[in-house]
């Protein structure tokens, strides 16, 4: 299949007709369909397919005559899951481009001197169970299997139960002791999540760093009561403290030249004529460096506690995941830039979005390529990259792949 054929073959998987967005969540029907699609793409290319102990998919192209386990491989790919009503490009573009790059390199007659793997990491977005990059975090040992297995979705289903329902053994989860020997470098191609490339009129960029970021759960606790019959002075309404905290977070982000978003909310009992008893609100915060992120979250938390105390509301704050700054190593980054010299000047830019490459960078060399997003919109059905830029991205990834595997 060509790039275009592969891309079109998954456009309807997990798409909601009402919104045009995707709901490809870990271990749901759409995710399982995409896993089958990945396996089909690999087998069409004669690649051996493996699902590792953490649900990550690997498709292997081994040098002729290779004996034993893969080692020092050139690995590329991304993820196939989405945020709620997300766009088509975030994740799948990297997987489709990886298979397309294999095709391009083979068409050039390049014979690999080291193994090549196309990967799709499991549950990168964390949309279902609340923690991002679960597959790569488990593999690197960044998250303990006991914690991962106990994560619950909105219906109360644990990750352990979801794995079991899909024929996987939850007892297999854990750090992958072969990761550092098998992976020589991981290069992830991703749609740009922002608009920097459009503003400088360049189609491709290389990542310099990933901002530190995290998710914090704010649990505002009040008292459920009748929306009509309860006097204002008698209310303990947690929605007020929550709403004030949203405004405070925006102001704090401006002061710290950072970003902070309350983007997920759960209201109990969630009745139109009932004062809430509890508000569960998730804060996503990101900053250019870790001290700034710490200061930002400390300020948002302090002001939220003030709002809660004013309204007689209880407040508990829990850090669900915090990822430190990732500065991609100079050597792989410089090699990627050199491999793309035919494209002229390649911008080297930081990103505010988290990626599996950022998690893997703690244990293996990593680099990232970005494909221009002319709208600047991501995590939305409006996310976009032109077909021409997508094809150019696959060609660029092939250039990088060829440089690594032919040497």
């Amino acid at each position: 299949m060509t790039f275009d054929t592969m891309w079109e073959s998954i456009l309807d998987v997990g798409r909601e007709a009402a919104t045009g967005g995707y709901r490809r969540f870990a271990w749901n029907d759409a995710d399982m369909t995409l896993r089958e699609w990945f396996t089909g793409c690999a087998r069409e290319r004669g690649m051996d397919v493996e699902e590792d102990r953490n649900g990550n998919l690997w498709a292997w192209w081994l040098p002729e005559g290779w004996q034993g386990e893969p080692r020092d491989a050139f690995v590329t790919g991304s993820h196939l899951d989405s945020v709620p009503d997300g766009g088509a490009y975030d994740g799948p573009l990297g997987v489709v481009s990886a298979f397309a790059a294999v095709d391009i390199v083979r068409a050039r007659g390049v014979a690999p001197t080291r193994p090549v793997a196309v990967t799709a990491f499991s549950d990168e977005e964390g949309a279902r169970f609340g923690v991002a990059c679960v597959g790569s975090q488990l593999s690197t040992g960044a998250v303990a299997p006991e914690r991962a297995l106990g994560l619950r979705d909105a219906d109360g289903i644990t990750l352990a139960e979801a794995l079991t329902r899909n024929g996987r053994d939850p007892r297999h989860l854990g750090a992958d002791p072969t990761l550092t020997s098998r992976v020589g470098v991981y290069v992830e191609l991703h749609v740009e999540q922002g608009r920097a490339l459009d503003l400088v009129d360049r189609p491709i960029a290389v990542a310099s760093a990933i901002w530190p970021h995290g998710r914090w759960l704010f649990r505002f606790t009040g008292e459920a009561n009748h929306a009509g019959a309860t006097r204002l002075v008698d209310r303990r309404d947690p929605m007020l403290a929550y709403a004030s905290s949203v405004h405070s977070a925006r102001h704090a982000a401006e002061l710290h030249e950072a970003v902070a978003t309350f983007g997920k909310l759960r209201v109990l009992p969630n009745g139109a004529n009932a004062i809430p008893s509890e508000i569960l609100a998730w804060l996503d915060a990101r900053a250019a460096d870790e001290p700034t992120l710490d200061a930002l979250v400390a300020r948002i938390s302090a002001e939220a506690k003030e709002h809660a105390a004013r309204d007689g509301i209880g407040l508990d704050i829990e850090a669900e995941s915090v990822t430190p700054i990732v500065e991609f190593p100079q050597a792989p980054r410089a090699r990627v830039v050199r491999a793309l010299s035919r494209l002229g000047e390649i911008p080297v830019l930081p990103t505010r979005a988290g990626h599996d490459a950022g998690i893997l960078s703690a244990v293996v060399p990593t680099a990232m390529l970005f494909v221009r997003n002319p709208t600047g919109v991501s995590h939305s059905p409006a996310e976009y990259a032109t077909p021409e830029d997508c094809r150019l991205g696959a060609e660029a990834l092939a250039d990088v792949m060829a440089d690594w595997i032919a040497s």
Side-chain angles (χ1 to χ4, degrees), residues 201-223:
D201 193 26
R202 302 298 298 168
I204 305 293
V206 173
S208 60
I210 298 176
W211 275 23
H213 56 280
R215 297 180 185 180
W216 289 261
L217 171 59
F218 284 59
R219 188 186 302 269
F220 298 89
T221 306
E223 180 179 54

Side-chain angles (χ1 to χ4, degrees), residues 168-258:
R168 275 67 175 179
D169 188 342
R171 294 173 298 180
H172 290 168
L173 264 63
D176 183 352
T178 69
L179 192 64
T180 55
S181 62
R182 295 207 299 178
V183 180
V185 66
Y186 176 65
V187 179
E188 182 172 359
L189 179 145
H190 205 279
V191 69
E192 182 190 15
Q193 294 174 290
R195 202 181 161 206
L197 286 176
D198 184 62
L199 296 176
V200 297
D201 193 26
R202 302 298 298 168
I204 305 293
V206 173
S208 60
I210 298 176
W211 275 23
H213 56 280
R215 297 180 185 180
W216 289 261
L217 171 59
F218 284 59
R219 188 186 302 269
F220 298 89
T221 306
E223 180 179 54
N225 214 327
H226 196 290
T230 310
R231 298 188 310 161
L232 293 179
V233 295
D234 293 333
R235 299 182 181 214
R236 293 180 56 235
D237 184 352
M239 188 65 80
L240 298 177
Y242 162 70
S244 297
S245 298
V246 173
H247 284 283
S248 294
R250 172 59 180 265
H251 180 59
E254 291 173 345
L255 291 176
H256 289 83
E257 297 183 339

Side-chain angles (χ1 to χ4, degrees), residues 96-168:
V96 172
S97 297
F99 280 122
V102 169
D103 295 342
I104 294 166
V105 169
R106 283 176 166 174
R108 294 176 182 173
V110 177
T113 59
R114 65 169 71 187
V116 174
V118 174
T119 60
F121 283 96
S122 182
D123 199 5
E124 193 267 359
E125 298 290 2
R128 182 174 180 184
F129 296 103
V131 174
C133 299
V134 170
S136 54
Q137 287 208 73
L138 281 165
S139 292
T140 59
V143 66
E146 296 80 13
R147 184 191 174 209
L149 290 171
L151 297 172
R152 293 182 181 273
D153 66 12
D155 297 318
I157 298 169
T158 65
L159 175 58
E161 291 167 338
L163 290 169
T164 301
R165 291 179 184 183
N166 285 286
R168 275 67 175 179

